[in-house]
Amino acid sequence: MPLGWIDFSKTERSKVLSVLDMLSENATLDELGIAPIRDGFSNLFFPGTSTIQTRAKYFFIVPYALKDLELGPEINPNRALIALNAKERACGEQFLLQNADEIGVIGKRSLASGRWVKRTPADIYWAGLRRYGIFIGGNLSLGEYLRAMCAVKGQKDALKKLGNRNDSAEESERDDDGAGDVRGMHFWRMPLYTPDWFRTMEMELTPTESSYLKEQILLCCPDSMMAHILKNNMRQISALTSFQEIADILSLFPPEMQADYNLALAFSDFIYAVRTVYNIIVSEGENETANQVLTDLEPAFPEIAAIDIDALMKRLEIYHNPALRSFLLQAQDAMLKDDIDSLKKCIKNREIFLKGQSRAKTCHPGQFDDTWIGGGELDYRFGNALTILRDIWNGEEVSETC
């Protein structure tokens, strides 16, 4: 049954739109263009993850489905993509048939209404598959891979049909022997694939899948926080609820990792203060939460702003974004001087620079009331990484009980 709401007021409308925006797969929280730093630290600590990943199983479902396509007859990349989408949708439907309450099924809401997602599992997990060395076809995008895979299959199929030896040649001497057999293509490091994977599929990792994914993370991301946690079996991290709480066990990490964490945590505190003022601007001071947060944070501005912006950008190798550096330095200077008006001005100028006046929310204050916009403290994908870690550990526990 279609749902809707009666638009009684601008306040109620903005609240509903905010909720819908948060539910959207493409919702953005980066109103001030700090993604290079946010993503830089995220990739440093938890490489291969993204904020829209749900469960570790998709690191296997995607290559399994694509291996099916490689071994199938399709040589048209557009039809191959359609077939991939259909297989991924079938996986989602199968998960929901097994357990309607299963957590992390991609497309769960869409499937309930007879639709499918715009961002498919292959799209969501592709970068991670490359980062963990599961896809070994270089830096190809998903579309490029499909075109390459279909092209190779098409060429081999053509050679098989054409041939260049007569039919009386010995089987072992035929020049077209093996043509059309894509098992020799080297796009994947996926030794666990079997043709019946879909029939036996469950959301939980099998012991062999768990072991394999752990090995690939350790192999391809050895210096990451994620690898350190896996290598040292730091399961106590499962009890943490935020990136900020890692501070409680920080001594368990190497000194260099501790330094990176402290720098990331300091930036999170800094940008949280900036985002608080942003919300005060767009609400014309009506966001009571933002007002209270600013009251709490303002006495600590000298400490919060005592962050080495240049050291941060150097560590993350952000060398070609002078506008971002200038914005952060201006915000830092305003905070050190406890000059809220200057801080508001540089925040507004930054958003105008990024979006233009027509789209900048700070140019249209009062339209968002008490809705919090633009995110709060940075999580650096900790929550998503923790889900992957738990899935791996759960798979290991299955192995231990067998």
Side-chain angles (χ1 to χ4, degrees):
M1 180 180 68
L3 298 177
W5 75 89
I6 298 174
D7 188 6
F8 283 116
S9 70
K10 177 181 66 177
T11 300
E12 294 303 316
R13 180 175 182 272
S14 66
K15 288 181 179 179
V16 172
L17 290 176
S18 176
V19 171
L20 293 177
D21 187 56
M22 287 188 292
L23 293 175
S24 169
E25 290 184 343
N26 296 318
T28 177
L29 300 177
D30 187 26
E31 303 287 353
L32 298 174
I34 54 90
I37 297 174
R38 178 199 64 202
D39 294 346
F41 277 123
S42 299
N43 292 332
L44 199 63
F45 298 131
F46 310 114
T49 63
S50 80
T51 57
I52 52 177
Q53 287 177 358
T54 57
R55 299 291 295 274
K57 188 69 175 189
Y58 286 101
F59 282 110
F60 296 90
I61 289 174
V62 173
Y64 290 166
L66 287 168
K67 285 295 291 183
D68 279 353
L69 285 176
E70 285 188 1
L71 296 173
E74 186 57 67
I75 60 173
N76 180 288
N78 292 327
R79 289 195 293 267
L81 180 59
I82 292 172
L84 173 62
N85 288 341
K87 176 66 75 171
E88 291 181 315
R89 177 171 183 163
C91 289
E93 292 169 342
Q94 179 67 13
F95 284 140
L96 295 180
L97 282 175
Q98 293 172 355
N99 179 8
D101 297 324
E102 183 70 76
I103 297 173
V105 177
I106 293 177
K108 186 173 184 178
R109 288 191 301 271
S110 297
L111 289 171
S113 59
R115 297 178 291 107
W116 183 229
V117 293
K118 293 181 180 178
R119 297 205 64 182
T120 65
D123 184 30
I124 294 170
Y125 282 78
W126 189 255
L129 289 167
R130 293 191 308 192
R131 187 66 183 86
Y132 294 160
I134 297 172
F135 178 77
I136 56 174
N139 293 322
L140 295 178
S141 68
L142 175 61
E144 290 169 340
Y145 155 72
L146 288 173
R147 289 193 292 273
M149 180 260 286
C150 288
V152 171
K153 289 172 64 177
Q155 290 172 355
K156 289 189 174 183
D157 188 53
L159 286 173
K160 185 175 182 179
K161 291 178 179 178
L162 178 63
N164 56 12
R165 298 288 302 275
N166 60 46
D167 291 338
S168 62
E170 294 292 335
E171 289 295 324
S172 60
E173 295 178 352
R174 290 181 182 272
D175 288 347
D176 61 351
D177 184 56
D181 182 359
V182 297
R183 287 172 294 182
M185 293 195 296
H186 300 293
F187 288 118
W188 297 99
R189 183 181 288 117
M190 181 45 68
L192 308 182
Y193 169 82
T194 60
D196 66 343
W197 67 271
F198 183 83
R199 183 178 59 82
T200 60
M201 178 188 65
E202 294 182 350
M203 182 61 84
E204 298 296 331
L205 295 182
T206 66
T208 51
E209 288 172 339
S210 174
S211 176
Y212 177 71
L213 184 57
K214 178 179 179 178
E215 290 173 0
Q216 289 304 117
I217 293 173
L218 293 175
L219 175 66
C220 298
C221 314
D223 299 324
S224 68
M225 181 175 285
M226 196 167 184
H228 184 83
I229 292 168
L230 285 171
K231 182 178 180 180
N232 294 279
N233 200 31
M234 294 172 58
R235 300 195 182 196
Q236 66 268 43
I237 206 164
S238 288
L240 305 184
T241 60
S242 70
F243 177 82
Q244 284 67 26
E245 290 183 7
I246 295 176
D248 297 336
I249 58 171
L250 191 59
S251 61
L252 301 178
F253 294 92
E256 298 83 1
M257 206 170 288
Q258 293 184 35
D260 287 337
Y261 174 83
N262 286 325
L263 194 57
L265 188 63
F267 181 74
S268 176
D269 291 342
F270 175 77
I271 208 63
Y272 181 47
V274 172
R275 285 172 162 177
T276 298
V277 175
Y278 175 87
N279 276 277
I280 291 174
I281 298 171
V282 298
S283 69
E284 285 192 316
E286 295 298 319
N287 189 321
E288 295 181 4
T289 300
N291 291 336
Q292 184 59 55
V293 171
L294 181 60
T295 299
D296 295 339
L297 292 180
E298 194 169 359
F301 268 13
E303 179 182 354
I304 293 173
I307 180 172
D308 192 334
I309 301 297
D310 285 329
L312 182 153
M313 299 189 77
K314 181 179 180 181
R315 176 65 184 96
L316 299 177
E317 299 182 354
I318 303 174
Y319 300 120
H320 306 293
N321 202 327
L324 175 57
R325 176 179 179 273
S326 177
F327 162 64
L328 295 176
L329 290 174
Q330 289 175 29
Q332 180 184 49
D333 182 65
M335 290 173 66
L336 289 172
K337 294 176 179 177
D338 196 18
D339 187 345
I340 300 299
D341 288 337
S342 293
L343 183 55
K344 288 180 177 179
K345 181 178 180 181
C346 84
I347 290 172
K348 183 175 180 178
N349 288 340
R350 173 64 174 172
E351 191 180 27
I352 292 172
F353 171 79
L354 293 171
K355 306 175 184 176
Q357 288 192 345
S358 63
R359 294 179 56 239
K361 293 181 176 66
T362 50
C363 291
H364 307 281
Q367 295 185 9
F368 307 96
D369 303 303
D370 60 350
T371 302
W372 188 280
I373 297 171
E377 294 178 307
L378 295 172
D379 184 67
Y380 300 112
R381 302 184 206 143
F382 171 74
N384 302 86
L386 191 55
T387 297
I388 304 302
L389 292 169
R390 285 171 175 160
D391 281 348
I392 291 174
W393 288 327
N394 287 340
E396 290 179 337
E397 289 174 0
V398 171
S399 178
E400 292 168 0
T401 58
C402 291

